[in-house]
């Protein structure tokens, strides 16, 4: 679920109650033994998923090239003519202040990965931690407090929350990231909590406790690794949500503050399309669409591979 | 017995799984005569339910399909019938009772609503007539005050009551064939007997043929005239109940009989166990599938699949070295175990 | 009676939620929100004027005192007047909420109905080409940004580069014809952007439901596809459907659709709230955030009551 869904604003902008994904996770498997290998095998046979992954890797390489200074460095120069067409100098033309669209699109790939990775990793970790504690101490005050925090975040409209965080942080470049992390963890936590409650009653966990493993060791060494399949899938879903949310937030002036992004390019294009200038719009939205689509395909097949009982 | 009511010929049912295509039912053939009671016995997972569902054209697809075979009811071929035609058969010509009375009825509709829908669909009655028919049918299944529970939801009834409702629904259109898939397995012992009696009573008053799928050889002995023993999706043995119990020919049947010491006395309604495990349907060995558990197995058994041969007057058995007598089997068993 | 008791009990358990929402909104939007002193003091203020305004705003008080004040104003429904325009907050809501509702409801309803319809078709044809087509379309739909959809819809339907049928932006609605004229493109965009998510969600619900034993029973007694899907499957799936729809309602009613309103310049409550955040218009924020939270709690309750209504096994204990 992403912010791009105001028709269901109950989940507006957050990973709200989406598909009733049921992770009927693996048994007492720890680490990288056969269930995971089986999943990898299954994943590799999934043509659409592999296509998605290949595209994601190409994008990641583009982003890496920008970080390493190989390309996409001239994104801010306004030296070109305004709204130039396609030429050898400006492969995809220029925007309304003469910036090179091709370079901006490349640079934006880096921005997208930065936002996606930061938000996906941190919010998934936060969700895993809080969900695990909540599930492990289910029914105690620890659980209650975490559930309460989740409920409160669910009851505040997403973009109002982001706007509030942005203003509270007075234009901090990370305000958007922080706001997304602070809201996107809730669904991961819900899934992890359910799984942990199931896992902690299983034999191998009781056995670990019986041989004297401390509760924290049990939780982090024996239980949490078994929620890996949830975290991987959630990570990909949050990545997509983050880069989709960026577009809307950038349009509202709450998004990317430094550099450029597809969201900023599309926002710029709102002033161009009514004058018949479509290049900025087409390039940014196509670049973004392909990446999001590829990620969605990969995410779906990852879910299929990791969750043997998922309904198709 | 003239022409049998149901003729199943070389039925093959396959499922697409992660581990390749498996044959849940591999070429079984059998007949059911009009108003006959046929028992279908076998360990869990041997393909009994899947066979029953195939008769109704209800193999879940995907992942399953009827890969080959013919199913004829009153001489009419059912495989390959259009969905619309098949729907007219379901509940009308062939009705089915399921194992789980808890979940087989729809939790959000009343008994009346579920029963009248079936009755109206197949008999074209008005709402009121259908309701009256439902009440009557419920009374016939031994429910004392049908009017009191007909407007209840399934969760308000006990397991036995729910199963009676299922029976009433099954018999409401007077089907030619009733399939009862372990109708009593989920019930407690006293209820089991009552429900079974109820099915048999209705069978004789409606002249219905019954396929009784069960775990319980005791039930077969008490109720059936003929029985099929299935193993791993194949027919192991078929025969009249008397001959099966007195002279089992297949070592599997003999084994099943051996492991229930006192059939009559025991009300332990579980399929007796035989040492060893069922082979994995995804990786079937060549030869006889029972070879790893069979006291009579010889080298031929592991090389060549035994074909179904006639045995006795109207029995069939799939075994290279059929059991000569129960005593001989016991001797072989003792030797094999040591 | 049972329902009433239940409602009261549930309202009390909703209190911590209201506490949390007011606390977070106070901390973020008021305590750490924009400093309003210089907007309210007028030109060339004296030190005294500044101090007077600051004490009116409570800036000289500590966190707790100010928070309690904030809660007191909410509890007494004393939302006051907008700082920026002086308009009473109640009037502002009465003016903007209906606009947002009129703007988003058609898209919301259509998006859900179409989603359910497509999901039923897909679930019935599970793994068939129709299912693959619908679900492939859903993934494509889910991969397109809302902003892109809006821009494309505007160019295609409202600009001289496309069909030019509808207004480029704005909301001057005085009749039904005006309404349809202005609501068409936003509705189209809303349906498009929600359809993929809805279809996927509902299909997963239906497929799960279709694997149940009682659906097998229904089929074994010859239930035709349409009654099977529309009666047996749908009625048993109502709980997740209702939940999804109910939880969308507070956001629609109170916060509208910020993006649509901003983009098309429509004076709905979403835009008004957003402006309130950027200008630090506390009275408006207080009202919107607390009303959303209250509605949220109410939705939780109504949702449970609806559960009981659709599923006889549910009891309100
Ligand atoms: N939906 C399904 N998907 C895959 N395999 C199935 C499915 N249903 C049944 N099977 C296969 O068919 C075999 C027979 O199942 P079933 O007929 O239910 O056994 P039983 O004799 O206990 O009624 C099972 O062992 C299983 O391998
Ligand atoms: S064929 Fe051989 S292994 Fe199979 S049942 Fe007969 S004797 Fe046993
Ligand atoms: Mg069975």
């Amino acid at each position: 679920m992403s912010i791009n869904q105001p028709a269901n604003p109950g989940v507006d902008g957050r990973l709200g109650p989406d598909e009733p994904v049921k992770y009927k996770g693996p048994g007492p498997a720890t680490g990288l033994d056969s269930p995971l290998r089986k999943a990898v095998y299954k994943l590799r046979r999934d043509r659409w998923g592999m296509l998605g992954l290949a595209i994601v890797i190409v994008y990641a390489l583009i982003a890496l090239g920008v970080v390493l200074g190989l390309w996409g460095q001239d994104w801010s120069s306004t030296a070109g003519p305004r709204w130039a067409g396609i030429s050898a100098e400006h492969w995809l033309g220029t925007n309304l202040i003469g910036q090179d669209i091709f370079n901006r699109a490349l640079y934006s790939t880096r921005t997208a990965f930065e936002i996606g990775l930061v938000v996906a990793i941190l919010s998934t970790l936060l969700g895993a931690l809080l969900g695990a504690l909540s599930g492990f101490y289910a029914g105690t005050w620890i659980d209650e407090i975490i559930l309460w925090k989740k409920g409160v975040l669910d009851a505040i409209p997403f973009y109002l929350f982001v706007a509030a965080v942005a203003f509270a942080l007075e234009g901090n470049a990370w305000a958007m990231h922080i706001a997304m992390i602070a809201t996107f963890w809730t669904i991961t936590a819900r899934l992890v909590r359910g799984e942990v409650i199931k896992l902690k009653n299983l034999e191998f966990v009781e056995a670990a406790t019986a041989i004297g493993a401390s509760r924290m060791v049990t939780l982090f060494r024996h239980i949490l690794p078994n929620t890996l399949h949830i975290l991987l899938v959630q990570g990909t879903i949050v990545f997509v949500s983050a880069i989709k949310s960026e577009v809307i937030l950038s349009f509202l002036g709450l998004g990317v503050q430094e550099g450029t992004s597809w969201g900023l390019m599309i926002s710029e294009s709102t002033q161009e399309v009514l004058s018949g200038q479509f290049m900025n719009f087409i390039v940014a939205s196509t670049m973004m669409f392909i990446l999001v689509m590829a990620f969605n395909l990969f995410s779906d097949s990852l879910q299929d591979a990791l969750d043997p009982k998922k309904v198709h | 017995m003239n022409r049998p009511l149901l003729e199943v010929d070389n039925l093959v049912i396959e499922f697409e799984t992660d581990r390749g295509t498996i044959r849940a039912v591999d070429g079984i053939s059998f007949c059911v005569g009009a108003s006959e009671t046929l028992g279908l016995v076998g360990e869990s997972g041997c393909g009994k339910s899947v066979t029953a569902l195939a008769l109704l054209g209800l193999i879940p697809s995907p992942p399953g399909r009827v890969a080959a075979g013919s199913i004829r009811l009153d001489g009419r071929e059912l495989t390959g019938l259009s969905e619309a035609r098949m729907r007219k058969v379901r509940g009308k010509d062939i009705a089915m009772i399921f194992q789980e009375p808890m979940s087989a009825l729809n939790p959000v509709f009343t008994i009346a609503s579920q029963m009248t829908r079936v009755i109206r669909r197949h008999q074209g009655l008005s709402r009121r007539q259908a309701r009256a028919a439902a009440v009557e049918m419920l009374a016939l299944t031994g429910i004392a005050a049908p009017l009191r529970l007909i407007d209840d939801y399934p969760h308000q009834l006990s397991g036995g009551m729910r199963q009676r409702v299922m029976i009433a629904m099954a018999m409401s259109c007077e089907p030619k064939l009733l399939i009862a898939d372990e109708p009593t397995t989920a019930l407690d012992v006293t209820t089991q007997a009552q429900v079974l009696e109820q099915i048999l009573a209705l069978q004789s008053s409606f002249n219905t043929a019954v396929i009784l799928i069960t775990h319980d050889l005791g039930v077969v002995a008490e109720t059936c005239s003929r029985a099929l023993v299935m193993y791993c999706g194949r027919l192991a043995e078929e025969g009249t109940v008397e001959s099966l119990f007195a002279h089992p020919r297949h070592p599997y049947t003999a084994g099943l009989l051996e492991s229930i010491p006192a059939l009559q006395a025991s009300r332990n309604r579980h399929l007796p166990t035989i040492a060893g495990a069922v082979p994995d349907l995804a990786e079937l060995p060549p030869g006889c599938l029972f070879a790893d558990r069979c006291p009579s197995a010889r080298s031929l058994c592991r090389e060549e699949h035994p074909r179904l041969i006639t045995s006795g007057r109207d029995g069939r058995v799939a075994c290279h070295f059929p059991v000569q007598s129960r005593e001989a089997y016991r001797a072989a068993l003792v030797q094999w175990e040591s | 009676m049972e329902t009433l008791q239940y409602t009261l009990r549930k309202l009390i358990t909703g209190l911590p939620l209201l506490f949390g929402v007011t606390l977070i909104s106070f901390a973020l939007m008021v305590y750490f929100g924009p400093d309003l002193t210089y907007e309210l003091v007028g030109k060339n203020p004296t030190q005294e004027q500044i101090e007077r305004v600051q004490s009116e705003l409570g800036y000289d008080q500590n966190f707790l005192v100010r928070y309690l004040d904030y809660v007191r104003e909410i509890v007494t429904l004393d939302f006051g007047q907008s700082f920026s325009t002086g308009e009473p907050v109640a009037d502002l809501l009465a003016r903007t909420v209906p606009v947002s509702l009129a703007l988003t409801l058609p898209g919301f309803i259509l998006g859900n109905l179409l989603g359910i319809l497509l999901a039923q078709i897909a679930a019935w044809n599970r793994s068939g080409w129709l299912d693959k087509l619908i679900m492939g379309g859903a993934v494509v739909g889910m991969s397109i940004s809302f902003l892109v959809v809006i821009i494309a819809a505007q160019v295609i339907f409202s600009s001289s580069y496309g069909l030019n049928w509808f207004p480029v932006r704005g909301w001057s609605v005085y009749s039904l014809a005006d309404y349809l004229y202005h609501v068409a493109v936003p509705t189209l965009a809303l349906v498009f952007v929600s359809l993929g998510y809805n279809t996927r969600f509902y299909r997963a619900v239906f497929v799960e439901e279709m694997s149940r034993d009682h659906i097998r029973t229904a089929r074994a007694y010859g239930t035709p596809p349409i009654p099977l899907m529309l009666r047996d499957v749908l009625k048993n799936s109502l709980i997740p459907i209702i939940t999804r729809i109910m939880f969308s309602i507070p956001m629609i009613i109170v916060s509208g659709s910020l993006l649509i309103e901003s983009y098309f310049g429509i004076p709905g409550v979403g835009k008004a709230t957003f402006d309130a955040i950027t200008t630090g218009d506390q009275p408006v924020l207080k009202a919107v955030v607390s009303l959303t939270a209250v509605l949220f709690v109410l939705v939780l309750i109504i949702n449970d009551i609806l559960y009981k209504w659709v599923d006889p096994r549910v009891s309100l204990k």
Side-chain angles (χ1 to χ4, degrees):
Chain A
M1 192 69 39
S2 90
I3 191 172
N4 293 9
Q5 204 201 1
N8 270 319
V11 283
D12 191 277
R14 79 185 72 219
L15 299 130
D18 196 351
E19 277 144 84
V21 178
K22 288 214 295 241
Y23 295 99
K24 293 160 186 154
T30 35
L32 290 156
D33 60 2
S34 81
L36 203 56
R37 207 173 301 147
K38 221 159 133 188
V40 170
Y41 173 75
K42 227 174 134 181
L43 192 60
R44 288 180 56 175
R45 282 200 322 184
D46 188 326
R47 263 178 297 149
W48 287 107
M50 283 297 103
L51 176 67
L53 181 63
I55 295 172
V56 170
I57 289 172
V58 170
Y59 271 81
L61 291 176
I62 295 176
L64 195 66
V66 175
V67 174
L68 296 177
L70 300 180
W71 45 66
Q73 303 301 304
D74 271 348
W75 61 272
S76 65
S77 157
T78 51
R82 150 193 166 122
W83 285 336
I86 291 173
S87 67
E89 204 182 335
H90 301 291
W91 290 5
L92 295 173
T94 61
N95 67 4
L96 89 167
I97 55 169
Q99 295 170 320
D100 184 80
I101 291 177
F102 179 66
N103 274 314
R104 287 171 74 77
L106 290 184
Y107 189 86
S108 299
T109 312
R110 182 208 127 131
T111 311
F113 268 83
E114 176 212 282
I115 295 167
L117 287 176
V118 168
V119 174
I121 292 174
L122 293 181
S123 87
T124 308
L125 286 180
L126 187 64
L129 183 71
L130 293 178
L133 286 174
S134 183
F136 198 61
Y137 295 104
T140 69
W141 61 271
I142 298 179
D143 184 31
E144 289 294 328
I145 287 185
I146 294 171
L147 288 177
W148 169 74
K149 264 172 60 184
K150 254 172 54 182
V152 169
L153 286 170
D154 286 337
I156 302 179
F158 173 67
Y159 56 80
L160 295 187
F161 183 78
V162 180
V165 170
F167 281 94
L169 295 179
E170 289 177 67
N172 186 314
W174 294 93
M176 171 180 66
H177 302 67
I178 291 170
M180 287 196 210
I181 294 166
T183 44
F184 286 175
W185 65 271
T186 56
I187 190 156
T188 311
R190 196 188 72 202
L191 295 170
V192 170
R193 177 177 185 270
E195 186 74 7
V196 167
I197 288 177
K198 225 172 355 170
L199 286 169
K200 76 175 177 183
N201 297 320
L202 290 182
E203 265 169 50
F204 76 101
V205 174
E206 286 173 359
T209 329
I211 60 169
S214 83
R215 294 173 70 80
M216 279 298 137
V217 171
T218 311
L219 178 57
F220 288 103
R221 284 261 283 282
H222 298 281
I223 295 183
L224 213 47
N226 277 297
T227 62
L228 193 65
H229 60 292
I230 296 177
L231 303 184
L232 286 174
V233 172
Q234 272 308 111
T236 60
I237 294 175
V238 173
F239 189 105
V240 168
S241 299
I243 57 181
K244 285 181 76 183
S245 303
E246 182 272 324
V247 176
I248 313 260
L249 294 172
S250 289
F251 174 76
L252 296 172
L254 303 170
V256 171
Q257 309 290 324
E258 289 159 13
T260 188
S261 71
W262 293 326
L264 287 174
M265 291 175 73
I266 296 172
S267 306
E268 270 166 24
S269 81
T270 59
Q271 298 167 31
E272 300 175 336
V273 289
L274 295 178
S275 323
Q277 297 297 327
F278 297 111
M279 210 51 171
N280 218 0
F281 174 67
I282 291 171
V283 171
S285 50
T286 308
M287 284 285 281
M288 180 179 155
F289 168 72
I290 293 174
L291 177 61
V292 172
M293 178 87 187
F295 241 108
N296 277 333
L297 290 175
F298 176 62
S299 178
D300 280 355
S301 64
L302 192 64
Q303 204 166 313
D304 289 349
L306 290 173
D307 183 6
K309 285 177 190 136
K310 188 197 168 216
V311 288
H312 293 281
Chain B
M1 191 164 78
N2 315 329
R3 169 71 117 23
L5 173 71
L6 177 80
E7 297 161 281
V8 175
D9 192 30
N10 188 33
L11 183 66
V12 178
I13 301 166
E14 292 181 338
F15 284 95
E16 226 48 70
T17 71
D18 281 351
R19 311 177 44 223
T21 306
I22 60 162
R23 287 205 159 176
V25 171
D26 191 1
I28 68 171
S29 308
F30 61 92
C31 302
V32 185
S35 70
E36 181 192 19
T37 307
L38 177 75
L40 186 52
V41 213
E43 279 163 309
S44 173
C46 72
K48 305 182 297 291
S49 299
V50 164
T51 305
L53 288 174
L55 301 184
L56 286 165
L58 285 179
I59 298 295
S61 163
R65 68 197 182 99
V66 172
S70 131
I71 298 167
R72 282 187 305 277
L73 185 75
D74 264 342
R76 174 167 169 230
E77 182 61 52
L78 296 185
T79 57
L81 217 56
S82 72
E83 259 296 300
R85 291 240 165 87
M86 202 61 213
R87 278 200 296 275
K88 298 226 157 57
V89 174
R90 295 177 190 143
K92 174 103 185 73
D93 296 326
I94 308 179
M96 186 157 171
I97 301 171
F98 297 94
Q99 178 177 342
E100 313 81 5
M102 296 298 170
S103 53
L105 291 167
N106 194 327
V108 303
F109 292 103
T110 61
I111 305 301
S113 143
Q114 299 187 50
M115 284 189 71
T116 50
R117 275 169 73 186
V118 174
I119 295 171
R120 296 187 63 193
R121 179 157 53 238
H122 289 309
Q123 305 191 348
L125 299 182
S126 75
R127 205 177 289 273
R128 287 221 349 245
Q129 290 167 320
R131 190 181 160 91
V135 170
E136 193 182 331
M137 212 51 236
L138 286 170
L140 282 177
T141 58
I143 291 175
L147 280 173
R148 224 172 347 170
L149 63 72
I150 192 166
D151 291 312
D152 281 354
Y153 289 93
H155 75 278
Q156 295 168 289
L157 309 182
S158 69
M161 278 299 171
R162 264 179 259 187
Q163 203 58 305
R164 284 196 174 86
V165 169
M166 242 356 276
I167 295 169
M169 194 156 116
M171 298 308 292
S172 62
C173 297
E174 300 178 22
K176 297 172 189 155
L177 174 66
L178 174 70
I179 306 171
D181 188 358
E182 310 201 21
T184 59
T185 309
L187 306 176
D188 66 70
V189 176
T190 25
T191 324
Q192 283 185 2
Q194 292 167 359
V195 165
L196 212 59
E197 269 160 38
Q198 214 45 252
I199 293 177
L200 294 178
L202 286 170
Q203 169 189 23
S204 60
S205 52
F206 286 95
N207 264 326
T208 311
V210 173
I211 297 180
L212 182 66
I213 298 176
T214 176
H215 264 159
D216 185 341
L217 282 171
V219 167
V220 172
E222 285 163 25
T223 56
C224 300
S225 51
R226 246 164 11 99
L228 306 174
V229 181
M230 277 182 79
Y231 186 75
C232 272
R234 301 179 189 187
L235 216 52
E237 184 167 8
E238 173 188 353
T240 61
V241 166
E242 299 87 72
S243 71
L244 276 184
F245 278 72
H247 309 289
R249 301 280 288 159
H250 197 284
Y252 179 58
T253 319
L256 293 180
L257 290 172
E258 275 327 296
S259 41
I260 26 174
L263 198 57
Q264 309 304 64
S266 153
R267 272 285 170 190
N268 169 22
R269 307 260 163 166
H270 290 287
L271 196 72
T273 48
I274 295 181
V278 185
D280 182 353
L281 283 179
E283 285 157 39
L284 287 180
C288 177
L289 301 179
F290 190 57
D292 282 346
R293 304 166 76 184
C294 179
S296 327
R298 302 185 210 167
S299 60
L300 173 66
C301 302
R302 295 186 188 277
E303 288 153 18
E304 205 176 299
H305 184 66
R307 284 191 305 157
L308 209 54
I309 50 171
T310 52
S311 92
R313 196 144 38 87
D314 47 15
R316 290 179 297 164
V317 62
C319 177
H320 290 305
F321 309 105
V323 175
Q324 296 306 319
S325 66
R326 291 185 67 168
E327 288 70 34
Y329 174 80
R330 265 179 227 133
L333 185 62
V334 170
Q335 201 179 0
W336 184 69
E337 276 172 349
S338 58
Chain C
M1 198 55 225
E2 186 196 15
T3 308
L4 186 66
Q5 271 182 359
Y6 172 80
T7 307
L8 289 177
R9 232 180 319 131
K10 249 330 227 240
L11 273 176
I12 291 167
T13 54
L15 287 179
L17 187 76
L18 297 180
F19 165 70
V21 171
T22 51
L23 185 65
I24 287 192
S25 63
F26 171 75
L28 279 179
M29 298 176 189
V30 180
Y31 196 78
F32 294 111
D35 186 334
L36 297 176
T37 315
Y38 295 93
E39 302 200 2
L40 295 182
V41 287
K43 287 213 170 79
N44 301 323
T46 62
Q47 189 58 33
E48 257 167 59
Q49 280 173 312
I50 291 179
E51 277 169 15
R52 209 188 60 238
V53 167
Q54 285 187 330
S55 109
E56 264 172 28
L57 287 168
Y59 286 0
D60 52 353
Q61 305 285 338
N62 68 21
F63 185 92
L64 190 67
V65 174
R66 291 180 61 190
Y67 173 65
L68 289 177
D69 230 34
Y70 180 85
V71 171
R72 183 182 50 75
E73 286 169 19
I74 288 176
V75 171
T76 54
L77 299 180
D78 171 19
F79 294 125
Q81 290 153 357
S82 161
F83 282 170
S84 345
T85 62
E87 186 181 7
V89 172
D91 291 1
L92 180 129
L93 291 177
R95 178 169 61 80
T96 54
V97 168
V99 171
S100 290
L101 275 180
L103 179 67
T104 47
L105 268 186
F108 177 71
I109 294 170
L110 276 177
N112 278 292
L113 286 181
L114 278 176
I116 289 175
L117 185 72
L118 288 176
Q120 288 234 322
I121 294 171
W124 175 256
N125 295 290
R126 185 152 77 94
S127 298
W129 64 269
L130 203 52
D131 181 28
K132 291 196 173 113
L133 188 74
I134 291 173
M135 297 325 287
V139 177
V140 171
M142 284 165 56
S143 303
I144 302 178
S145 167
F146 190 22
L147 188 58
V148 171
V149 173
I150 293 178
I151 296 173
Q154 188 191 41
V155 169
I156 294 170
F157 293 100
S158 310
S159 80
S160 51
Y161 299 93
L163 301 168
N164 211 356
W165 285 349
F166 299 107
V168 171
R169 50 171 51 93
W171 185 262
S172 40
V173 171
Y174 304 99
S175 67
L176 183 64
D178 287 346
Y179 174 54
L180 295 177
Y181 182 59
H182 284 91
V183 86
V185 172
T187 299
L188 212 82
L190 283 168
V191 170
F192 187 97
V193 86
S194 64
L195 197 54
Y197 290 98
N198 288 342
T199 306
R200 258 170 85 108
F201 176 86
Y202 294 133
R203 177 188 176 278
V205 171
F206 295 147
V207 165
E208 167 102 20
E209 199 50 49
M210 285 171 73
S211 72
R212 303 235 186 270
D213 286 345
H214 61 81
I215 297 299
R216 187 187 56 191
T217 308
R219 300 190 59 200
Y221 284 85
T223 310
I226 289 176
L228 187 82
M229 294 307 291
L230 285 183
R231 190 141 56 159
D232 298 276
V233 174
L234 191 58
K235 186 157 185 200
N236 278 284
S237 311
L238 277 182
I239 285 190
I241 294 178
I242 287 176
T243 308
R244 183 181 178 82
I245 291 177
M246 286 300 291
F247 279 87
S248 312
I249 287 176
M251 305 295 171
I252 295 198
I253 293 181
V254 187
S255 33
S257 174
L258 172 59
L259 187 63
I260 292 255
E261 289 167 16
S262 301
Y263 193 86
F264 291 105
I266 295 170
V269 66
K271 184 79 171 68
T273 314
F274 185 74
D275 293 344
I277 290 179
T278 58
T279 58
D281 198 339
Q282 290 166 22
V284 176
L285 288 181
K286 251 186 302 210
V288 170
V289 171
S290 52
L291 281 180
T292 311
V294 168
L295 261 169
F296 206 83
V297 173
L298 288 180
V299 158
L300 282 173
I301 296 168
I302 297 171
N303 205 44
D304 285 357
I305 294 171
L306 286 177
Y307 279 6
K308 188 175 146 59
W309 177 63
V310 300
D311 189 336
R313 289 168 301 179
V314 172
S315 82
L316 295 176
K317 283 284 171 286

